[in-house]
Amino acid sequence: MKYDGKTRKARFEVSIPGTNGKVRRRATVKVNGSLDAQMKFSEFRKRVIAEFEDDRLGTQRANAHATFEEWVRKNWVSLSANMKPRTAEKSFDLVESHLIPFFGAMQFSEINAGSVEDFRAQMQLKTYGAICKKLYSSSFINDCLRQLHAILKRAAARNIIGAVPAFPRALREAKLMSELSAEEEVAFLAAFADRDSYLERFSAPEVRGSVTNDAAAVFFTFFRASKPFFVVALHTALRRGDLLNLEWSSVDLKDGHIRVVTQKTSTPVFIPLSATAVAALEECRLRPMASTKWVFVQHDGSRMSLTTLRRHFATAKELAGITRRFRLHDLRHTAASKMASAGISLQVIAKVLGHTSTRMSERYARPDDAALAQIRTAMERSAVAGNLNSSLNSLRSKPK
């Protein structure tokens, strides 16, 4: 409050509770002295706080009667304010596809531990489609539960619900990683030069009718040209997105390294390049359709698309005879596992992979074939020594 004795005016200012002083109410009034100014300021402050409480309770009552779907759709902008655009988009797809169909018509007071458990049970029974009958993975169900928990936590912070209901424990799922063996890696990369096997895929009558020999030959040139992407992936352990968005400005072929900021964790990484990776990148740079910006491009010079990458990856798997579980991301796992098997420290691996801690890199510290062979040899020696000692003891115990 500021009082001006000359003009007999007072300026009032009151901060709205809970806004950290960002929202204020102001007024300038005529007064009869400083005592009158104090009294009127007290009345003004009480009136502002009372109006705020009425507005808050009114909003709270309105939200209490709003359904889960209505409230989430109305407040999604603020709920996703701290997310990256792509993450916000994926999160909303999950909410719209799974949370809203189950909880959408419920009011927040109806969402309790029982309904959350029912949702998880339903997710465990659902399938992707009537044909494939593939259950949702445990990790995906956990993602849904985490998104629901985050929404309910925000609702509790706004006093729409008293407290977040108890949530079931996260489902446990074995983290399978399918790195390429040395033989599989050779077969996978050799597939990009196997023209005969590639063209044979178009020999079926139903395919041959729509694809000519010349067209199939052109498709093979596109397929073969994508090999450097997979070579670099196996020699740098960069993520799929970081490779697709890799620019020449991040590549130093003379000194042999890549310096880039990873998209997922926004972590700067420095990756030394092997001679094989440098050769693959040189091939990309010297092509007629090479881009001045993007490292990996398609036949028309545009940046390689994810659709094209997935198609060529599936084709290479097929030609290499790899029928087991093996994903694009397992190229990164293969490279990281080779680093660990070579004796590179977890700290260095974490920096190359862009991990924020070595805990993320510990998964790759597994024994390779050579280490397993050493264990077998050691155990065999132990067994032989044990049998020999037993024989000697038995001989010593015999009466002479």
Side-chain angles (χ1 to χ4, degrees), residues 1 32-33 42 58 71 85 96 100 107 151 185 234 307 319 353:
M1 182 196 75
N32 295 318
S42 178
W71 190 83
E96 198 165 38
I100 287 178
Q107 295 181 357
I151 292 173
E185 183 176 341
L234 286 165
T307 301
L319 297 181
L353 298 184

Side-chain angles (χ1 to χ4, degrees), residues 120 123-124 136-145 171:
R120 187 177 77 164
M123 288 291 292
Q124 288 179 278
Y136 291 123
S137 66
S138 297
S139 60
F140 182 77
I141 297 175
N142 290 337
D143 286 344
C144 293
L145 291 172
L171 296 172

Side-chain angles (χ1 to χ4, degrees), residues 336-356:
S337 294
K338 287 193 292 185
M339 293 179 197
S341 297
I344 299 173
S345 69
L346 291 179
Q347 289 79 5
V348 173
I349 293 176
K351 289 183 178 179
V352 171
L353 298 184
H355 288 162
T356 54

Side-chain angles (χ1 to χ4, degrees), residues 208-362:
R208 176 60 62 194
S210 58
V211 180
T212 64
N213 291 336
D214 290 341
V218 171
F219 292 159
F220 175 72
T221 62
F222 298 160
F223 169 68
R224 182 177 58 189
S226 67
K227 179 182 177 179
F229 178 96
F230 299 100
V231 172
V232 175
L234 286 165
H235 281 254
T236 63
L238 280 171
R239 294 185 180 89
R240 177 187 69 194
D242 292 325
L243 283 169
L244 287 174
N245 291 298
L246 185 63
E247 300 181 12
W248 286 115
S249 59
S250 300
V251 180
D252 189 330
L253 292 177
K254 182 179 179 180
D255 291 337
H257 68 259
I258 291 175
R259 192 186 298 272
V260 68
V261 177
T262 60
Q263 289 184 330
K264 184 175 181 180
T265 60
S266 298
T267 303
V269 296
F270 179 90
I271 304 172
L273 294 173
S274 65
T276 303
V278 169
L281 291 168
E282 283 282 10
E283 180 183 340
C284 294
R285 189 175 64 86
L286 297 175
R287 287 174 179 170
M289 72 290 195
S291 167
T292 57
K293 181 178 181 181
W294 308 111
V295 174
F296 299 108
V297 297
Q298 303 182 139
H299 64 279
D300 59 355
S302 61
R303 185 182 60 167
M304 182 181 288
S305 69
L306 180 56
T307 301
T308 299
L309 178 63
R310 284 173 171 165
R311 182 171 64 249
H312 291 169
F313 176 72
T315 301
K317 278 179 58 179
E318 178 187 337
L319 297 181
I322 301 175
T323 57
R324 63 173 178 80
R325 178 184 183 269
F326 178 59
R327 311 159 301 163
L328 259 172
H329 195 67
D330 289 323
L331 296 171
R332 174 176 165 88
H333 291 321
T334 301
S337 294
K338 287 193 292 185
M339 293 179 197
S341 297
I344 299 173
S345 69
L346 291 179
Q347 289 79 5
V348 173
I349 293 176
K351 289 183 178 179
V352 171
L353 298 184
H355 288 162
T356 54
S357 71
T358 56
R359 289 188 62 186
M360 295 289 293
S361 308
E362 288 175 358

Side-chain angles (χ1 to χ4, degrees), residues 87 106 108 253 287 301 384:
T87 303
M106 294 185 185
F108 278 95
L253 292 177
R287 287 174 179 170
V384 171

Side-chain angles (χ1 to χ4, degrees), residues 20-241:
N20 294 324
K22 295 180 180 180
V23 181
R24 302 169 183 269
R25 296 287 185 268
R26 297 181 177 89
T28 302
V29 298
K30 274 276 198 182
V31 294
N32 295 318
S34 60
L35 182 59
D36 187 37
Q38 289 285 353
M39 294 176 61
K40 287 185 177 179
F41 173 70
S42 178
E43 293 173 358
F44 175 76
R45 185 174 182 279
K46 289 179 181 178
R47 185 168 65 252
V48 167
I49 293 177
E51 290 174 355
F52 164 76
E53 286 295 326
D54 289 342
D55 290 343
R56 185 183 65 81
L57 292 173
T59 302
Q60 185 173 337
R61 283 192 295 269
N63 284 327
H65 292 291
T67 63
F68 178 85
E69 179 178 6
E70 291 170 346
W71 190 83
V72 169
R73 291 189 184 279
K74 180 180 178 182
N75 295 278
W76 182 252
V77 173
S78 61
L79 291 172
S80 60
N82 295 326
M83 299 180 187
K84 294 181 179 180
R86 178 59 180 157
T87 303
E89 181 182 348
K90 291 175 65 176
S91 297
F92 187 73
D93 287 343
L94 184 149
V95 169
E96 198 165 38
S97 301
H98 302 285
L99 298 184
I100 287 178
F102 189 91
F103 297 101
M106 294 185 185
Q107 295 181 357
F108 278 95
S109 58
E110 299 176 284
I111 301 177
N112 51 36
S115 59
V116 173
E117 183 61 53
D118 291 343
F119 169 72
R120 187 177 77 164
Q122 178 176 301
M123 288 291 292
Q124 288 179 278
L125 295 174
K126 275 193 173 182
T127 62
Y128 282 118
I131 298 177
C132 63
K133 294 291 183 182
K134 183 179 179 181
L135 296 175
Y136 291 123
S137 66
S138 297
S139 60
F140 182 77
I141 297 175
N142 290 337
D143 286 344
C144 293
L145 291 172
R146 279 192 290 269
Q147 186 63 66
L148 175 63
H149 187 273
I151 292 173
L152 295 178
K153 188 175 179 180
R154 295 291 288 275
R158 300 183 185 189
N159 296 318
I160 296 171
I161 55 176
V164 178
F167 266 59
R169 295 182 63 180
L171 296 172
R172 294 190 176 274
E173 182 178 40
K175 297 294 183 182
L176 298 176
M177 289 184 291
S178 305
E179 300 90 353
L180 287 173
S181 65
E183 295 77 12
E184 287 175 329
E185 183 176 341
V186 170
F188 179 80
L189 295 178
F192 294 93
D194 192 351
R195 186 175 188 274
D196 293 339
S197 297
Y198 182 91
L199 296 180
E200 188 178 347
R201 300 169 65 250
F202 298 93
S203 61
E206 62 273 15
V207 178
R208 176 60 62 194
S210 58
V211 180
T212 64
N213 291 336
D214 290 341
V218 171
F219 292 159
F220 175 72
T221 62
F222 298 160
F223 169 68
R224 182 177 58 189
S226 67
K227 179 182 177 179
F229 178 96
F230 299 100
V231 172
V232 175
L234 286 165
H235 281 254
T236 63
L238 280 171
R239 294 185 180 89
R240 177 187 69 194

